Amino acid sequence: MIRIAQSFSKQLDWSEWQAPLLQFCQASGMVVSAYDIGGGRQIGPMLGSQTARLLGTSCLWNEDGPGSAVEQRIVAALNGPVDYAEEEFHGMRVCGLPLTRAGQRYGAVVFGWRWSDFSSPMACERLARLLKLPGQALWNEVRLEAPLAAGRLATFRALLRTLADSLDRQRDTIDELQRVSQTRDLFLATVSHEMRTPLSALALRIDLLLKTMQDPPPALTAALTAMRVHVRQEAAMVEDLIDAARTLTGTMSIERIPVSLGRIVREAVSTIEAKAHDKRIAFKVTPADFGDRFQVLADPRRLQQVLWNLILNAIKFTDEGGAIEVLITGAADGVRIRVNDSGHGIAAHDLPHVFGAFTLQTHANSSGLGLGLYIVRRIVELHEGSISVESAGPGRGSSFIVFLPQADPTHAGSPPSPGS
């Protein structure tokens, strides 16, 4: 058990204790040290008074000094079932409290080295001879220092116990968060493999059947086509869940390169423009060159994902015969992309929540998990840009506005850089 505790103690970041113990030392005027479970001093001794600083010039707390021996005995005692240990050294009280993490003791805080009663010149002289200090110098300091009464020591002990418990609970919480994070990462990896792979295989088989079957019954063709749509929807939901999880955990990253905005817009539009035509929606991109003159520092794949989401949303919530426009304009320090539609619009009280996770529209044609705009916002932010939404109200359409900083000309041709 002790070997396990020692191994556990070595993994700890003892620097977390430095600041709180220093504050306690300065407030109490006591000497404070932190030890691991094996009796190795990790912090201190911190000296809180002039007397302590004078004692610190002696051999008292050397590795083989008498003070270190006292403290190590206290630490050893705290390895047992006790919650407090104390010794006396030439009239000075030395105390110790155990440190516990995840229900396991990993060390101790030793504190004190204060007289519990007024000392005398003779007692100071004896201590000075033991430590090879000038007796008069030690007495000059001791006589100016008030004794530490038992009640006051008990108050300081309770304060230090509260401090230690608070820090240990904080560490336990951090450990639990790390465990949850590892579990989440494992879940994402499992989702990626166990759900993406069969969905991809199923989609390929459906496509193969539709292409190779000779004169299939119309009902079978319709069923397979519907299945293909549903499989693609499920695959898109899985991708959204994975991207949303990466967004929540800050693990989503981008690879930005100087690229023509026109190229990204053109490729994004070419993929989904047909969906607008299927609903007889008038679809337009302004200017006609799709923004070729604008250079942005962007991850082309992720920026296409932004445009796909915004345009597909516009198509989804615009009725047949409506209109959608992608309007690209220059700004003083960047470029703006507006996706305007004549669709269902958004109520004023819903506007602040549009970019939240799992925000679903209530119209009959809504589908998905409500994560698209949540992911879009994070991707835009990783590009050091911003996104906003405007709507005059229900039935009056909406506009999503993306601002992107223009690429610094000095970065032209530079290699990809990871997103922040």
Side-chain angles (χ1 to χ4, degrees):
M1 180 65 72
I2 292 178
R3 278 200 298 270
I4 294 173
Q6 287 174 335
S7 174
F8 179 75
S9 180
K10 289 176 182 178
Q11 299 172 11
L12 297 174
D13 182 6
W14 286 94
S15 64
E16 296 174 2
W17 278 101
Q18 192 78 30
L21 289 184
L22 179 60
Q23 291 176 337
F24 177 79
C25 168
Q26 292 170 342
S28 65
M30 291 190 280
V31 178
V32 185
S33 298
Y35 282 80
D36 61 35
I37 200 72
R41 186 189 289 129
Q42 299 294 324
I43 297 175
M46 294 177 171
L47 311 175
S49 68
Q50 285 297 115
T51 300
R53 281 185 274 276
L54 177 58
L55 292 172
T57 64
S58 73
C59 63
L60 181 60
W61 292 297
N62 287 355
E63 188 174 341
D64 58 350
S68 296
V70 169
E71 293 188 345
Q72 286 168 354
R73 285 196 298 272
I74 290 175
V75 173
L78 292 171
N79 286 342
V82 299
D83 289 323
Y84 176 68
E86 181 178 326
E87 279 200 28
E88 188 174 293
F89 183 82
H90 288 266
M92 289 183 286
R93 297 180 71 176
V94 189
C95 315
L97 295 173
L99 298 177
T100 306
R101 185 175 179 185
Q104 181 174 304
R105 294 192 176 184
Y106 64 88
V109 174
V110 180
F111 60 100
W113 296 102
R114 290 279 300 273
W115 277 270
S116 56
D117 201 351
F118 285 101
S119 187
S120 67
M122 291 181 62
C124 284
E125 184 64 36
R126 286 194 298 271
L127 179 59
R129 282 200 302 270
L130 174 66
L131 301 177
K132 297 181 173 55
L133 287 173
Q136 186 61 43
L138 180 59
W139 168 244
N140 287 341
E141 296 298 343
V142 170
R143 67 190 181 90
L144 298 175
E145 187 174 285
L148 185 62
R152 196 172 178 209
L153 178 61
T155 300
F156 281 133
R157 185 170 68 241
L159 175 63
L160 188 55
R161 179 73 276 164
T162 301
L163 174 66
D165 289 345
S166 175
L167 282 173
D168 286 332
R169 280 196 302 271
Q170 184 181 55
R171 283 175 163 177
D172 287 344
T173 301
I174 291 171
D175 284 347
E176 179 63 16
L177 289 174
Q178 289 174 339
R179 187 192 66 78
V180 170
S181 177
Q182 291 169 354
T183 303
R184 181 187 55 242
D185 291 343
L186 179 61
F187 168 75
L188 285 176
T190 303
V191 166
S192 299
H193 179 73
E194 301 297 335
M195 296 184 71
R196 276 172 164 170
T197 303
L199 284 173
S200 298
L202 184 57
L204 285 172
R205 283 171 172 78
I206 292 172
D207 285 339
L208 185 62
L209 285 171
L210 286 171
K211 290 177 181 177
T212 58
M213 282 192 307
Q214 297 293 328
D215 300 321
L220 179 58
T221 301
L224 288 172
T225 302
M227 286 176 61
R228 180 170 60 183
V229 170
H230 293 152
V231 167
R232 287 175 178 173
Q233 287 177 342
E234 291 297 323
M237 289 182 188
V238 170
E239 293 296 331
D240 280 352
L241 278 172
I242 293 170
D243 276 346
R246 288 172 178 159
T247 298
L248 283 168
T249 58
T251 56
M252 177 182 280
S253 63
I254 61 173
E255 296 261 335
R256 299 170 69 188
I257 59 172
V259 63
S260 165
L261 179 61
R263 170 192 144 193
I264 296 173
V265 174
R266 192 175 285 105
E267 291 179 358
V269 167
S270 67
T271 305
I272 55 179
E273 189 176 13
K275 292 183 180 293
H277 294 159
D278 289 343
K279 288 183 71 173
R280 296 195 297 277
I281 293 172
F283 188 89
K284 179 182 179 183
V285 178
T286 305
D289 67 357
F290 290 77
D292 280 334
R293 66 188 177 92
F294 297 109
Q295 286 284 315
V296 292
L297 199 61
D299 182 321
R301 183 179 67 86
R302 285 296 189 183
L303 195 51
Q304 281 183 35
Q305 185 179 351
V306 168
L307 295 173
W308 285 333
N309 269 283
L310 295 181
I311 298 172
L312 284 172
N313 256 15
I315 294 171
K316 182 190 299 184
F317 297 106
T318 299
D319 294 330
E320 289 192 8
I324 295 173
E325 180 183 22
V326 178
L327 178 62
I328 303 165
T329 57
D333 52 351
V335 59
R336 284 186 176 83
I337 307 169
R338 295 181 67 101
V339 179
N340 303 318
D341 67 65
S342 62
H344 297 161
I346 304 169
H349 62 269
D350 287 331
L351 285 172
H353 311 293
V354 164
F355 297 104
F358 301 102
T359 301
L360 293 170
Q361 297 290 337
T362 56
H363 298 294
N365 66 342
S366 65
S367 61
L369 296 172
L371 292 169
L373 294 177
Y374 174 73
I375 296 166
V376 160
R377 182 179 65 176
R378 180 56 182 155
I379 294 174
V380 172
E381 290 171 348
L382 286 172
H383 282 83
E384 300 177 11
S386 62
I387 184 169
S388 58
V389 59
E390 298 173 356
S391 178
R396 303 181 66 181
S398 58
S399 297
F400 286 83
I401 306 100
V402 175
F403 170 79
L404 297 171
Q406 283 192 243
D408 185 340
T410 61
H411 285 89
S414 62
S417 59
S420 55

